[in-house]
Amino acid sequence: MRYIEITIPDGQRRAVLDVLEAEGVDYIVSDEVGRQEHDAAVRFPLPTRAVEGVLDRLSEADLSGARVVVIDAETVVSEEFDELRERHSHGGTRGERTSRQVLETKADELTPAFRIYVVMLLISAVVATSGLLADSPAVVVGSMVIAPLLGPALAASVGIVTGNDGLRSTGFRYQLVGVAVVVAASIGLAWLARLAGFEPGGVDIVVVAELQERVSPNLFSLAVALGAGVAGILSLTRGFSEAIVGVMIAAALIPPAAAVGITTAWGMWGAAFGAFVLVVVNVLSINLAALVTLWVAGYRPQGLFEVSPTRRQTATYLAVFAVALLVLAAPLGAITLIEFQTTQVASAADEEVEAVLAEPRYDHLEAESVEVVLDDDYPFRSIDRVVVTVRSDELAPDPALGELIFDAVAADVDDPPIVEVRYAVADERYPVDWEETDDREWLAGQEGNERLDRQYVQVVEP
């Protein structure tokens, strides 16, 4: 519920009261005495759903110079108000829908001062970069919590739909600057980490799990950004938790932007490109989802004291976002296809290995793992080899086994990969799981103590 107060310009009292009476609004009027030359002040409660419609009707009264204040109301005890609320319940539903005027104010309030915005993003970038390098999900989540991205991410769409050019330009500017700040700060921190010897040059830094999923993104990454855009608008229009939604938006932007900086500092341009595409796709997805959600919710570009602009601007932005998203989603589709093929090869290889080892002559062997290894050509990786690890109690590998496994795997794929068979042979002097043995002093005191698994590798190429 909302409580509205309007100061009425001279000569406009009757026009305003006629609108309120036509809408069935229970109001009070008092003469206005103050610095401004106003005729009166009118106050009245409204259901949240009715605010936008009533203010739009009042705009027809040409209230130039009026002042409108919208206040949250806890409760209203009035039969007239109950009737008004029922009339605006839209088929019995009483869910709240924030008015367009209040929506603009909330989006603006959620956008912090520029200096504070930059400082908070610098802190978030440092935390995110540290979390990615340390492969710490908890630290990465912490970087999302402190990133003030909710307001800027939604301000642009709110500005477009409501015809507020200032809010729209502020939202776009903050988003572009925010991504640039996080990428630049991540490059600097990652470069210092590399210089300090955190990782030697040439190391594939993206083997870190928290990084790997951001430098080679798939189509499922779109779900996070699209969901964040929809949830962000719902948080503004329906009163859901804005803090939680802000974390969701930051999850779609902060870690990928930090991944761009880290991979750039390591000179891994393919991985940096993959992470950058993810950042751009997520920005477009958030804006597109927010804009579509606002339009479906019924928000239109009409101001209280201005002539309603055309809807062409909203349609233009929708088309630009959609086309750009489709173009940039193509690389994500290619990566998704590669991952699907990898899963198929892994499943087929696992079945074929089990079938080969089921032969009586290989009763002494046990399949330990089957892994499909991709190359390092980020972001469009391809299958490099299939690694099969078998455990045996004999010291000599069977040369024919590699050929059998290769033939079996090759029969299920169009482009046969390299097959690498690893024999993990347990030394009979010590337990196989020596690393989990609590009696370390006994192990250290044994003469000739050494690693218990001797590994033989057989490589079969196409």
Side-chain angles (χ1 to χ4, degrees):
M1 292 173 290
R2 302 289 186 266
Y3 192 70
I4 315 297
E5 177 181 290
I6 303 177
T7 54
I8 306 173
D10 290 336
Q12 296 294 323
R13 180 190 296 213
R14 188 67 262 164
V16 172
L17 298 184
D18 286 345
V19 171
L20 297 181
E21 290 174 359
E23 293 288 334
V25 176
D26 185 16
Y27 63 86
I28 58 173
V29 181
S30 60
D31 292 333
E32 180 73 8
V33 178
R35 296 176 58 186
Q36 304 295 328
E37 294 182 359
H38 292 103
D39 182 42
V42 60
R43 302 173 181 85
F44 51 92
L46 280 179
T48 302
R49 283 182 173 270
V51 173
E52 186 173 359
V54 171
L55 293 184
D56 285 343
R57 301 293 84 75
L58 289 170
S59 68
E60 300 173 2
D62 190 22
L63 303 179
S64 57
R67 183 180 67 242
V68 179
V69 179
V70 181
I71 305 171
D72 285 335
E74 292 293 333
T75 187
V76 177
V77 180
S78 168
E79 292 183 2
E80 291 84 355
F81 181 83
D82 291 340
E83 294 176 0
L84 184 64
R85 182 168 55 184
E86 289 295 332
R87 182 145 43 92
H88 289 274
S89 64
H90 297 285
T93 60
R94 296 187 178 184
E96 293 193 353
R97 176 185 182 275
T98 302
S99 67
R100 184 180 62 254
Q101 295 80 7
V102 174
L103 184 65
E104 291 181 81
T105 302
K106 292 179 69 174
D108 183 63
E109 289 177 348
L110 287 172
T111 304
F114 187 75
R115 291 184 179 179
I116 299 298
Y117 177 71
V118 172
V119 171
M120 291 299 292
L121 280 181
L122 284 173
I123 298 173
S124 179
V126 170
V127 176
T129 305
S130 302
L132 290 175
L133 289 174
D135 196 19
S136 173
V139 176
V140 175
V141 171
S143 70
M144 306 172 192
V145 174
I146 61 178
L149 291 177
L150 177 61
L154 303 180
S157 298
V158 173
I160 292 171
V161 169
T162 60
N164 189 326
D165 294 338
L167 192 61
R168 181 199 65 207
S169 60
T170 297
F172 283 138
R173 178 166 57 90
Y174 269 56
Q175 289 182 70
L176 292 175
V177 171
V179 171
V181 166
V182 174
V183 172
S186 299
I187 291 175
L189 183 60
W191 182 80
L192 290 175
R194 186 179 182 187
L195 190 66
F198 180 82
E199 288 284 359
V203 169
D204 184 7
I205 187 64
V206 296
V207 296
V208 175
E210 285 293 314
L211 265 174
Q212 196 169 47
E213 63 187 64
R214 270 105 187 179
V215 300
S216 188
N218 55 35
L219 284 176
F220 297 107
S221 304
L222 287 174
V224 176
L226 291 172
V230 175
I233 291 301
L234 292 178
S235 71
L236 290 183
T237 60
R238 305 292 176 173
F240 297 152
S241 175
E242 293 159 357
I244 295 176
V245 176
V247 173
M248 186 176 181
I249 290 178
L253 298 178
I254 295 297
V260 174
I262 294 173
T263 50
T264 299
W266 252 259
M268 302 184 67
W269 308 114
F273 172 75
F276 180 74
V277 168
L278 178 59
V279 172
V280 177
V281 166
N282 284 351
V283 170
L284 290 172
S285 299
I286 290 172
N287 283 273
L288 177 63
L291 196 55
V292 170
T293 304
L294 283 170
W295 192 263
V296 171
Y299 291 96
R300 296 295 183 266
Q302 179 180 353
L304 178 57
F305 306 126
E306 61 188 26
V307 177
S308 175
T310 65
R311 300 177 182 180
R312 182 178 302 173
Q313 176 177 263
T314 303
T316 300
Y317 277 103
L318 281 171
V320 171
F321 290 157
V323 171
L325 187 58
L326 287 174
V327 172
L328 290 175
L332 273 63
I335 295 172
T336 305
L337 181 60
I338 293 172
E339 292 183 351
F340 179 72
Q341 292 173 343
T342 301
T343 302
Q344 284 187 315
V345 171
S347 177
D350 189 61
E351 293 179 359
E352 297 296 345
V353 169
E354 290 292 340
V356 170
L357 295 182
E359 297 182 15
R361 56 175 167 165
Y362 294 124
D363 288 342
H364 62 287
L365 297 178
E366 179 184 355
E368 188 169 271
S369 65
V370 178
E371 179 184 6
V372 177
V373 179
L374 303 180
D375 59 25
D376 298 332
D377 189 15
Y378 295 95
F380 306 108
R381 307 171 71 188
S382 57
I383 297 176
D384 180 61
R385 62 185 61 215
V386 175
V387 179
V388 179
T389 302
V390 296
R391 183 167 293 278
S392 171
D393 55 1
E394 297 181 2
L395 298 180
D398 185 344
L401 179 60
E403 297 290 345
L404 287 174
I405 292 178
F406 175 82
D407 292 339
V409 172
D412 291 322
V413 295
D414 296 331
D415 187 14
I418 296 173
V419 173
E420 184 177 300
V421 181
R422 298 180 179 179
Y423 298 82
V425 183
D427 192 319
E428 297 179 354
R429 291 176 297 170
Y430 306 116
V432 172
D433 297 328
W434 68 277
E435 291 180 342
E436 299 179 2
T437 302
D438 293 330
D439 195 357
R440 296 297 181 88
E441 294 182 358
W442 178 84
L443 285 174
Q446 300 304 305
E447 182 179 356
N449 186 18
E450 60 184 43
R451 182 176 178 84
L452 303 183
D453 287 349
R454 300 176 182 177
Q455 195 172 86
Y456 299 86
V457 179
Q458 178 186 9
V459 177
V460 183
E461 300 185 7

